Amino acid sequence: MKRQLFIVIALCLKVKYLLLDESFDGLDPLAKEILKEEFLNLKRENPSLTCILTSHNLKELSDIMTTFAIIDDGEIISYGSFEEEKSLIYKYQLLFKSPKSRNDFLQFDVMNYKQEGSIIQLIIRGNKDNIQAELNKMNPVLLEVLDLDFEEFFIALSKERGYLK
């Protein structure tokens, strides 16, 4: 309740900078949605407001963030617009008649490989048309482009940097 009160006070004072650490922790789902809507309204009313939210729950932030920064060991390793990042990184779901392994996709810049049964999910960096043309040459039974969320991007980037092997 104290945290909610401090946020309300900051919003009422129309501060220029709002720094919030784990601001959605402990809130029920309805309170989270109300708070997110208030952040968006506040930003619309006051475009010069800079709101910095930190969280370990990336899905909570993905629907309200406009830019991001990922910090590793005190160093910013990636930052910018997630929409721009998504224009360079794609998530595919594939099904093949014959078994495949990660080694079958070495020609791609694979950030993340996940296989559950016969279904393979890949997160690949590169030109979408070129990637799809190469994947189609492998004759998949199913090839779908799925929406990449920010948490999946973060995990793929972490794996690319050598974490979560």
Side-chain angles (χ1 to χ4, degrees):
M1 295 304 289
K2 286 181 183 179
R3 184 181 318 184
Q4 290 178 33
L5 176 62
F6 289 134
I7 292 171
V8 169
I9 291 169
L11 296 176
C12 291
L13 292 174
K14 298 192 186 267
V15 295
K16 283 186 158 189
Y17 302 98
L18 193 55
L19 308 171
L20 300 166
D21 183 30
E22 302 292 348
S23 55
F24 300 107
D25 275 7
L27 298 180
D28 64 70
L30 183 57
K32 287 177 188 179
E33 287 305 307
I34 291 170
L35 186 57
K36 286 180 183 183
E37 191 59 39
E38 286 306 312
F39 285 144
L40 294 172
N41 289 337
L42 187 64
K43 184 65 178 169
R44 280 190 285 273
E45 293 169 8
N46 184 3
S48 65
L49 172 70
T50 299
C51 187
I52 299 173
L53 303 171
T54 64
S55 180
H56 287 92
N57 188 338
L58 303 178
K59 289 185 180 183
E60 286 182 339
L61 299 180
S62 62
D63 58 341
I64 61 171
M65 69 178 189
T66 56
T67 57
F68 73 92
I70 297 175
I71 301 170
D72 182 18
D73 197 25
E75 176 187 348
I76 296 175
I77 60 166
S78 185
Y79 66 93
S81 162
F82 181 54
E83 290 306 314
E84 288 177 19
E85 288 290 328
K86 281 175 54 171
S87 70
L88 305 170
I89 300 170
Y90 301 94
K91 179 179 173 185
Y92 296 94
Q93 183 165 274
L94 302 151
L95 174 65
F96 295 94
K97 287 182 182 177
S98 58
K100 299 283 184 203
S101 72
R102 186 179 183 108
N103 290 337
D104 293 307
F105 302 96
L106 294 176
Q107 70 268 37
F108 302 102
D109 185 4
V110 176
M111 296 177 69
N112 194 23
Y113 174 93
K114 183 166 69 171
Q115 185 167 0
E116 292 181 24
S118 301
I119 302 291
I120 297 171
Q121 281 192 356
L122 299 169
I123 296 178
I124 303 175
R125 180 182 282 122
N127 177 281
K128 183 178 182 180
D129 294 333
N130 294 345
I131 294 168
Q132 282 188 230
E134 289 300 311
L135 287 172
N136 278 322
K137 288 179 185 177
M138 299 173 79
N139 297 316
V141 174
L142 169 76
L143 186 155
E144 289 182 298
V145 181
L146 302 176
D147 191 41
L148 179 70
D149 69 35
F150 188 68
E151 187 169 284
E152 292 168 321
F153 166 71
F154 175 81
I155 290 169
L157 187 64
S158 297
K159 284 184 175 182
E160 189 178 56
R161 291 181 56 84
Y163 299 108
L164 306 170
K165 291 183 180 178

